[in-house]
Amino acid sequence: MYNVLVVELNRHSGSKTRDALDWSVLGFSIENDADSADSALTLLSTKPYSLVLINMVGMPEEGLALCSRIRAESRIPILLIGDGTNFQLARKAMYYQVSDYLPAPLCAEDLSASLQLIKRRLDSADGAVREKQPPEEAASEISVIDKVKEYVSEALSQNITLKEISNILHFNCSYLGQKFKYHEKMTFNEYLLKQRMEKAKALLESTDLKVYEIANEVGYSEMDWFYKKFKSYTGVSANEYRKMMSITA
């Protein structure tokens, strides 16, 4: 059963996405609901999901912004429901490599067909990982964790996901995530954030790079998202941090 996060950005739309069909028959389970981008991102950072469904009817800009923020961190499948008459909106959605875009009003048959296609892709990806996965005794857990950390260090400026690393190392993603948390005492996403923020701090202290250049160096293409993450991590903005370090130097 694949876990789904449903995001209803317009809480006044009267949407009944959850009640549109019997999800379990199609192999999906709605694990959580969110009514804002921030709550959706919080849930995505703390729990594993297989699919994000975003209903952005009446809230197109917020919906696309959420897609952008998700893509900055993950390649998780995204299913969008949007205003049916807006062709330009559908084209913009494709830019974020969404799995499908369904026009409103939502048709249960279209939603079912889309979910079946997404499930086949998920089944195929999971099956490939299981076939490639070697016996646990083939490599020590510590050496595998070291390889994960080495990959993060070398690819920090790129989009990084544990799923991608799992495929490269031929490990099941869920298994690798559990082992990483056991050895590092933090989740993979927490570790990745720490590495990005610590490198950003170092670059702010030791280089004259512009803040947007530093953001790109640590894997953020969206400046607003970088600013938010950096301030949450350090308590101050990137510019304030640089000024503080120049004063104490």
Side-chain angles (χ1 to χ4, degrees), residues 1-17:
M1 194 72 68
Y2 292 109
N3 291 336
V4 182
L5 171 62
V6 173
V7 186
E8 301 278 4
L9 291 177
N10 189 347
R11 67 186 69 181
H12 303 298
S13 67
S15 172
K16 297 185 182 296
T17 307

Side-chain angles (χ1 to χ4, degrees), residues 129-139 169-172:
V129 171
R130 283 193 294 270
E131 288 170 10
K132 294 176 182 177
Q133 183 177 351
E136 294 181 14
E137 61 269 20
L169 298 180
H170 307 320
F171 268 82
N172 177 274

Side-chain angles (χ1 to χ4, degrees), residues 41 44 52 54 65-74 76 78:
L41 292 166
L44 284 169
V52 181
I54 303 174
L66 177 55
C67 288
S68 175
R69 293 170 69 181
I70 291 174
R71 281 292 172 258
E73 302 287 338
S74 171
I76 187 172
I78 299 174

Side-chain angles (χ1 to χ4, degrees), residues 110-213:
D110 289 345
L111 177 58
S112 176
S114 181
L115 289 172
Q116 290 179 53
L117 179 59
I118 292 172
K119 184 177 184 298
R120 285 198 293 270
R121 292 171 181 167
L122 290 169
D123 288 343
S124 177
D126 286 350
V129 171
R130 283 193 294 270
E131 288 170 10
K132 294 176 182 177
Q133 183 177 351
E136 294 181 14
E137 61 269 20
S140 71
E141 292 176 355
I142 295 177
S143 68
V144 171
I145 300 305
D146 287 340
K147 288 179 181 178
V148 173
K149 293 162 70 175
E150 180 181 354
Y151 181 92
V152 169
S153 178
E154 293 177 353
L156 204 56
S157 64
Q158 304 170 24
N159 181 58
I160 303 173
T161 66
L162 186 60
K163 179 76 171 178
E164 204 172 336
I165 298 175
S166 300
N167 287 337
I168 293 171
L169 298 180
H170 307 320
F171 268 82
N172 177 274
C173 184
S174 178
Y175 171 83
L176 187 57
Q178 293 172 0
K179 293 305 176 184
F180 189 92
K181 185 175 181 179
Y182 174 80
H183 285 282
E184 297 300 315
K185 310 306 179 189
M186 66 179 75
T187 66
F188 173 78
N189 285 337
E190 289 170 339
Y191 176 82
L192 178 58
L193 176 65
K194 180 179 178 181
Q195 297 308 304
R196 283 179 163 154
M197 294 298 103
E198 290 299 325
K199 182 173 181 179
K201 286 167 57 179
L203 291 173
L204 286 166
E205 294 175 30
S206 60
T207 74
D208 294 324
L209 290 173
K210 304 292 186 183
V211 174
Y212 76 87
E213 293 175 319

